[in-house]
Amino acid sequence: VKNEKRVTIWEVAKLANVSAGTVSRFLNGIVLKPSTEKRVREAISQTGYQKNITARTLRTGHSKSIGIILPEWKSYYSMSVIEAFESVVFPKGYALIVSSYSDFSEQLSNMLLRNIDGVLCIPPSGIDDVARAVIKECGEKGVPAVIINEYFERCEADFVMIDNAGSSMRAVEYGIHQGHTDIAIINGLQTDYVSRERHHGYREALNLYDLGITDEYEKYGLYSAEGGYAAGIELLSLNKPPTAIFITNCAMAIGFFRAARELKVSIPEDVLVIAYDFDTRYEFISPNIPYVEQPLGEMGLQAAELLLRRIAGDNRKYPQNIQLKTRLIINKNMSDTVSLSSINENHELF
Amino acid sequence: VKNEKRVTIWEVAKLANVSAGTVSRFLNGIVLKPSTEKRVREAISQTGYQKNITARTLRTGHSKSIGIILPEWKSYYSMSVIEAFESVVFPKGYALIVSSYSDFSEQLSNMLLRNIDGVLCIPPSGIDDVARAVIKECGEKGVPAVIINEYFERCEADFVMIDNAGSSMRAVEYGIHQGHTDIAIINGLQTDYVSRERHHGYREALNLYDLGITDEYEKYGLYSAEGGYAAGIELLSLNKPPTAIFITNCAMAIGFFRAARELKVSIPEDVLVIAYDFDTRYEFISPNIPYVEQPLGEMGLQAAELLLRRIAGDNRKYPQNIQLKTRLIINKNMSDTVSLSSINENHELF
DNA sequence: CTGAAAGCGCTTACAG
DNA sequence: CTGAAAGCGCTTACAG
């Protein structure tokens, strides 16, 4: 189907009566003598010349492209980060090579064969391998990598995350301020850095207000609806069930809500749920579901700016661990807010 | 940060005592004399050689990459299609250059400068320009393009969509079978091909069962929550409101549900809503929301296979318009289905 | 079955 | 300020 051959720098040069090098210099922003510049400029528009990024990449070694490794396409979380990331990186001429195929290591290799300049990794929560492998392979190739919401010590990568412990502490503190003393947690596995931090925050709040730790109020599981469902059934079936539950993951919260519906437990009347991350479903589940809001857009922006700096060779403060602040969203009147303008449609997924 | 220089085909050749051409042939699957092949194979593993896709692209003209243009990252719809698309295209060695930045035309140009082999376009519903521009520019460059759920006549592109008219007709027919005669539609703008088709299906069903057309039951708007909300308020405030409403878009359905909640209208008791596309929120809105399920995965697969064929130069039946069948999902017992295994977690977004 | 050589379309020290 | 030339790392007709 290929049509005419693409016009090259050479044809422009010939038409403008200059050398190819001169055309190239013009293209790269080097100032020419006004008279030659004019001829080059005209030759370009006459021929309809368009640069060939592949050729430039081969010559210079950088491709102006960034690889993104993510666990799952259908993730509001990942896509929010990418959206913001793209907004800073695209104006600089970068293309995004995105991949989520299960065999991430093969995917990453494939990207590296394409001379990507950097990598953004959004690892699946609770699973170390992906981020570790990405960091290792990128390190060997000398390609900078930024990891979202995951952390390893002494690693050749930068990290962008939230203050997991602090935000959890504040979320539980809110529950305490609402008069609750029996506060449970439904959390990810303790093998996961993020889960451990959130657990620390939970305990810190209880300690701070001299509330004891109740072992049976601390539930762990995979960050999934099944995990939240199972934990929910257990907690709600206790002799003395908690009056408030801090659920550190969105999918788990949804699972919990299914359990609550099944057991005819009302939210927030029977139990206050404080969740993590916004979910489009909250609005239709209960008028009052406070949640910790991760600044996903801000994370994407910061990740982009940091990665761009690394690509540019700026290695100040490397490796860096950026921790962003979160808000705790309390919107008691969510279901009363009739005016649609007050509903943030950026949260719409469809 | 860049470490050691990457090893090239030349160093492999030297070590194996063959020419670079021979190494290249081996890499491209051409059979060598067993003895030389052995030496080459060993030299490759000893040197840790890895091919350079950029160099190959420059030489051969194809990059083994596909550009994806989409309107919005945070779209369950788009991501479902891409997920399936990737699953067929990745094993063949293709990388995906994905972009959703508002200035799609600039994005597309940037992709084209990178010698992408083909384009998948998921245009925003109700807006023609994007798909048209993509088709035009790809056509000029001789790059094959496949468009999802949009159609133009006499266009240099292939199309993959659903049977919009037929599936709408069946959805409305279901409402009729449930005993409804006053069935409204909340639809996209009539300037949009997809909306027109769905409207045709709606009218066809009414005609087929000799139900008259009621002008005030036909509402149009943008495919957005606001559109659905506004239409909902109007319909539910009529002197004789409809007893069933066919809402041809998911975001509109959500807007409608907000309107219904505001007006204290119960679903499905007061009005039966038949929606388009699955939404994770349905489960928490009502136990009974039938919806037309687009086979998003199948669309991605078909698009991938077709595009791959075009890239390979197979132009049989070009241009093609693939129309896939949809199911109408009726899950009355959704809220009763306690067993989580019956809930398709592929639909989870978080 | 394999080698020597040209060339894909650029960029960039090196001269002048 | 600009030209001539080498080279980025491959592939592929052309010989033999």
Side-chain angles (χ1 to χ4, degrees):
Chain A
V1 193
K2 288 273 174 191
N3 292 3
E4 351 91 65
K5 287 224 4 84
R6 273 167 59 161
V7 4
T8 75
I9 221 174
W10 263 103
E11 294 156 60
V12 177
K14 218 184 316 171
L15 190 62
N17 234 300
V18 295
S19 73
T22 298
V23 178
S24 173
R25 288 189 192 95
F26 171 76
L27 258 17
N28 288 294
I30 291 174
V31 228
L32 309 181
K33 192 163 66 179
S35 58
T36 41
E37 174 180 328
K38 181 155 171 290
R39 295 207 311 280
V40 172
R41 198 185 288 282
E42 285 172 358
I44 286 176
S45 74
Q46 270 180 47
T47 53
Y49 169 79
Q50 306 218 247
K51 69 183 168 207
N52 183 324
I53 296 186
T54 303
R56 170 183 294 184
T57 300
L58 179 59
R59 185 55 235 245
T60 64
H62 51 251
S63 60
K64 285 268 191 181
S65 66
I66 292 171
I68 299 186
I69 298 277
L70 74 173
E72 156 75 289
W73 288 98
K74 292 184 286 192
S75 155
Y76 180 84
Y77 183 96
S78 300
M79 293 308 143
S80 301
V81 173
I82 293 181
E83 180 181 71
F85 187 90
E86 181 184 39
S87 76
V88 358
V89 127
F90 170 68
K92 310 260 183 201
Y94 284 84
L96 262 27
I97 302 184
V98 191
S99 131
S100 91
Y101 201 72
S102 47
D103 190 341
F104 61 88
S105 141
E106 211 181 321
Q107 286 276 23
L108 178 63
S109 306
N110 189 283
M111 288 180 182
L112 258 7
L113 300 180
R114 292 164 190 274
N115 299 297
I116 49 173
D117 300 328
V119 167
L120 174 70
C121 176
I122 309 178
S125 48
I127 302 176
D128 268 14
D129 324 8
V130 176
R132 286 201 185 278
V134 167
I135 294 171
K136 181 159 175 291
E137 217 176 326
C138 287
E140 285 167 5
K141 299 283 187 304
V143 173
V146 171
I147 315 292
I148 299 288
N149 212 26
E150 180 68 86
Y151 180 67
F152 312 116
E153 298 208 330
R154 279 183 301 284
C155 251
E156 294 219 357
D158 295 298
F159 301 89
V160 174
M161 52 172 54
I162 56 165
D163 176 8
N164 284 290
S167 56
S168 297
M169 134 67 168
R170 287 157 50 215
V172 176
E173 184 178 41
Y174 170 80
I176 296 170
H177 287 163
Q178 296 299 303
H180 295 275
T181 53
D182 300 329
I183 305 179
I185 182 172
I186 298 181
N187 195 15
L189 298 175
Q190 292 289 303
T191 47
D192 176 37
Y193 169 80
V194 167
S195 298
R196 283 198 306 275
E197 288 293 302
R198 293 180 185 178
H199 183 242
H200 288 158
Y202 165 76
R203 286 230 176 161
E204 193 189 345
L206 296 188
N207 286 331
L208 199 58
Y209 289 88
D210 292 329
L211 299 173
I213 305 296
T214 310
D215 282 348
E216 58 191 2
Y217 282 177
E218 298 191 335
K219 298 292 179 190
Y220 311 98
L222 290 178
Y223 276 142
S224 68
E226 285 86 350
Y229 175 83
I233 295 288
E234 288 181 36
L235 284 175
L236 298 175
S237 308
L238 288 174
N239 283 334
K240 194 190 173 197
T243 63
I245 307 184
F246 176 45
I247 306 181
T248 67
N249 168 272
C250 201
M252 287 185 124
I254 297 304
F256 174 85
F257 293 130
R258 289 194 188 127
R261 184 177 58 194
E262 189 181 324
L263 299 179
K264 311 250 188 279
V265 168
S266 308
I267 295 152
E269 292 75 12
D270 300 330
V271 59
L272 172 67
V273 170
I274 304 171
Y276 228 99
D277 296 335
F278 171 80
D279 187 303
T280 53
R281 287 165 281 198
Y282 293 164
E283 162 189 11
F284 294 101
I285 290 170
S286 161
N288 181 12
I289 300 176
Y291 62 92
V292 176
E293 181 193 59
Q294 299 198 47
L296 301 175
E298 188 61 23
M299 288 164 80
L301 298 182
Q302 298 264 357
E305 271 154 21
L306 184 52
L307 188 55
L308 249 24
R309 277 181 29 219
R310 296 305 183 221
I311 290 174
D314 174 357
N315 284 318
R316 279 175 295 177
K317 299 201 211 166
Y318 175 81
Q320 202 167 346
N321 183 5
I322 298 180
Q323 296 212 161
L324 300 174
K325 284 291 175 200
T326 62
R327 293 186 188 180
L328 180 66
I329 303 296
I330 317 287
N331 191 357
K332 288 182 201 293
N333 305 317
M334 191 177 247
S335 70
D336 303 323
T337 6
V338 161
S339 107
L340 275 170
S341 62
S342 70
I343 296 173
N344 183 352
E345 290 297 335
N346 286 332
H347 282 317
E348 283 294 339
L349 250 170
F350 295 83
Chain B
V1 194
K2 288 270 176 195
N3 292 2
E4 351 91 65
K5 285 227 355 90
R6 273 167 58 161
V7 4
T8 75
I9 222 173
W10 262 104
E11 294 156 61
V12 176
K14 221 183 312 168
L15 190 63
N17 234 297
V18 295
S19 72
T22 298
V23 177
S24 173
R25 287 189 195 98
F26 171 75
L27 259 16
N28 288 294
I30 290 174
V31 228
L32 309 180
K33 194 163 65 178
S35 58
T36 40
E37 175 181 327
K38 183 158 171 288
R39 295 207 310 282
V40 172
R41 200 185 287 280
E42 284 171 359
I44 286 176
S45 73
Q46 270 181 46
T47 53
Y49 169 80
Q50 305 217 247
K51 70 184 167 203
N52 183 323
I53 296 185
T54 303
R56 170 184 294 184
T57 300
L58 180 58
R59 186 56 236 245
T60 65
H62 51 251
S63 61
K64 285 268 188 182
S65 68
I66 292 172
I68 299 186
I69 298 276
L70 74 174
E72 156 75 290
W73 289 99
K74 293 185 285 193
S75 156
Y76 180 85
Y77 183 96
S78 300
M79 293 308 144
S80 302
V81 173
I82 293 181
E83 179 181 71
F85 187 90
E86 181 184 40
S87 75
V88 358
V89 128
F90 170 68
K92 311 259 183 201
Y94 284 84
L96 262 27
I97 301 183
V98 191
S99 129
S100 91
Y101 202 73
S102 46
D103 191 341
F104 61 88
S105 142
E106 212 181 319
Q107 286 277 24
L108 179 63
S109 306
N110 189 283
M111 288 179 181
L112 258 7
L113 300 180
R114 292 164 191 276
N115 297 297
I116 49 172
D117 300 328
V119 167
L120 174 71
C121 175
I122 308 178
S125 47
I127 303 175
D128 269 13
D129 323 9
V130 177
R132 284 199 186 281
V134 168
I135 293 172
K136 181 159 175 292
E137 217 176 325
C138 286
E140 284 168 4
K141 300 282 188 304
V143 172
V146 171
I147 315 292
I148 300 288
N149 212 26
E150 181 68 88
Y151 180 69
F152 312 117
E153 297 206 331
R154 279 184 300 283
C155 250
E156 295 218 356
D158 295 297
F159 301 88
V160 174
M161 52 172 55
I162 56 166
D163 176 8
N164 284 290
S167 56
S168 296
M169 134 68 168
R170 287 158 48 215
V172 176
E173 183 177 42
Y174 170 80
I176 296 170
H177 287 163
Q178 295 300 302
H180 295 276
T181 53
D182 299 329
I183 305 178
I185 182 173
I186 299 181
N187 196 15
L189 297 174
Q190 292 289 303
T191 47
D192 175 38
Y193 169 80
V194 166
S195 299
R196 283 198 306 274
E197 288 293 300
R198 294 181 184 176
H199 183 242
H200 287 158
Y202 164 77
R203 287 230 174 160
E204 194 189 342
L206 296 188
N207 285 331
L208 199 57
Y209 288 88
D210 293 329
L211 301 173
I213 305 297
T214 309
D215 282 349
E216 56 191 3
Y217 282 177
E218 298 190 336
K219 297 291 179 193
Y220 312 97
L222 290 178
Y223 276 142
S224 69
E226 285 86 348
Y229 175 84
I233 295 288
E234 288 182 36
L235 283 175
L236 298 175
S237 309
L238 288 174
N239 283 335
K240 193 188 173 198
T243 63
I245 308 183
F246 175 47
I247 307 181
T248 67
N249 168 271
C250 201
M252 287 184 124
I254 297 304
F256 174 84
F257 292 130
R258 290 195 186 123
R261 185 177 57 195
E262 190 182 325
L263 300 180
K264 311 248 187 280
V265 169
S266 309
I267 295 153
E269 290 76 12
D270 299 330
V271 58
L272 171 69
V273 170
I274 303 170
Y276 229 99
D277 297 334
F278 171 80
D279 187 303
T280 53
R281 287 164 280 199
Y282 293 164
E283 162 190 10
F284 294 101
I285 290 170
S286 160
N288 182 11
I289 300 175
Y291 62 92
V292 176
E293 181 194 59
Q294 299 197 46
L296 300 175
E298 187 62 22
M299 289 163 81
L301 298 182
Q302 297 264 356
E305 271 154 21
L306 184 52
L307 188 54
L308 249 25
R309 279 180 29 217
R310 296 305 183 221
I311 290 173
D314 173 356
N315 284 318
R316 278 174 296 175
K317 299 200 212 165
Y318 175 83
Q320 203 168 345
N321 184 4
I322 297 180
Q323 297 213 161
L324 300 174
K325 283 291 174 199
T326 61
R327 292 185 188 182
L328 180 66
I329 303 295
I330 319 286
N331 190 358
K332 287 181 201 295
N333 305 317
M334 192 177 245
S335 68
D336 303 324
T337 4
V338 162
S339 108
L340 275 169
S341 62
S342 72
I343 296 173
N344 184 354
E345 290 298 336
N346 286 332
H347 281 319
E348 284 295 339
L349 250 169
F350 295 84

